[in-house]
Amino acid sequence: ELEIERDDLEQQITLLQNELEGYVGEGGTLKVFDGLMDAAKGYVETGDALATASYLEEIEQTIDITQTSAAFQELYAALFTKIGPAVSAHYYDIGYEAYRNELYDDAIANLLLAVKYDAANRDALFNLGNAYKRNEDKENALIIYQQVIDLFPDTQRASRAKRYIDELNA
């Protein structure tokens, strides 16, 4: 009986060690929370939006944000919103330069990030549509141009997007 009890206790120890590893190990809950705290602290101390974005991207790759606490999600969202325009401008500049150099895959990757960080960056969205169009990805170009029209109606970008949609559908 004692040997059976010992085996049961050893199994429980193993399960508890595995559970503990989930909290403190690589990618564990505590490491992720520490990462968010590091991101917030770094931004408050330095104002470095790109470094903060790097922390947030690492967190995104590690966990499903929707499965975290409300406080975690609120801090994450606040940081994301705060750094968004600066990070978006950074990726837009890189993406637009790639677009001008006809490196459409690079342009698309960077312009997608620009739009991710600031959905109100209409130049990034419009040029993302252009990059898809130049890369002969009609389906995505049409989707993006429609987003330009929906999000920024009555603008010159929306008028041009409508014209490009008509051309692509012709």
Side-chain angles (χ1 to χ4, degrees):
E1 281 181 26
L2 289 174
E3 285 180 4
I4 291 172
E5 187 176 340
R6 183 197 69 204
D7 290 344
D8 287 344
L9 289 172
E10 285 176 354
Q11 286 178 342
Q12 287 179 10
I13 289 170
T14 301
L15 290 173
L16 290 171
Q17 287 173 331
N18 290 339
E19 186 176 342
L20 180 60
E21 182 64 24
Y23 289 111
V24 297
E26 188 65 33
T29 304
L30 293 177
K31 293 256 186 218
V32 172
F33 281 107
D34 283 348
L36 184 61
M37 292 296 118
D38 287 343
K41 179 179 179 265
Y43 186 72
V44 167
E45 289 176 351
T46 67
D48 187 341
L50 292 175
T52 303
S54 179
Y55 278 115
L56 296 183
E57 287 172 13
E58 188 176 321
I59 290 168
E60 278 180 21
Q61 294 170 2
T62 305
I63 62 164
D64 177 1
I65 303 292
T66 63
Q67 300 300 311
T68 61
S69 69
F72 184 97
Q73 290 178 39
E74 289 171 13
L75 179 55
Y76 181 91
L79 278 173
F80 195 92
T81 300
K82 189 72 173 167
I83 67 170
V87 176
S88 178
H90 170 77
Y91 285 120
Y92 174 75
D93 291 342
I94 295 169
Y96 189 66
E97 182 67 23
Y99 175 79
R100 288 188 6 228
N101 290 315
E102 299 179 5
L103 301 169
Y104 301 121
D105 289 333
D106 291 344
I108 290 166
N110 284 286
L111 293 170
L112 280 168
L113 288 169
V115 171
K116 171 187 171 184
Y117 279 97
D118 185 3
N121 188 336
R122 70 175 171 225
D123 292 332
L125 189 63
F126 180 75
N127 284 302
L128 176 59
N130 291 342
Y132 278 128
K133 180 180 171 193
R134 294 283 179 103
N135 209 31
E136 299 181 10
D137 185 345
K138 177 182 173 181
E139 181 179 331
N140 280 316
L142 290 170
I143 291 168
I144 297 300
Y145 286 140
Q146 188 60 53
Q147 287 177 5
V148 170
I149 293 166
D150 294 344
L151 294 172
F152 309 107
D154 303 322
T155 65
Q156 185 179 30
R157 294 283 193 218
S159 298
R160 288 173 67 190
K162 174 68 173 122
R163 191 168 61 245
Y164 291 158
I165 287 173
D166 292 343
E167 287 174 12
L168 288 168
N169 285 326

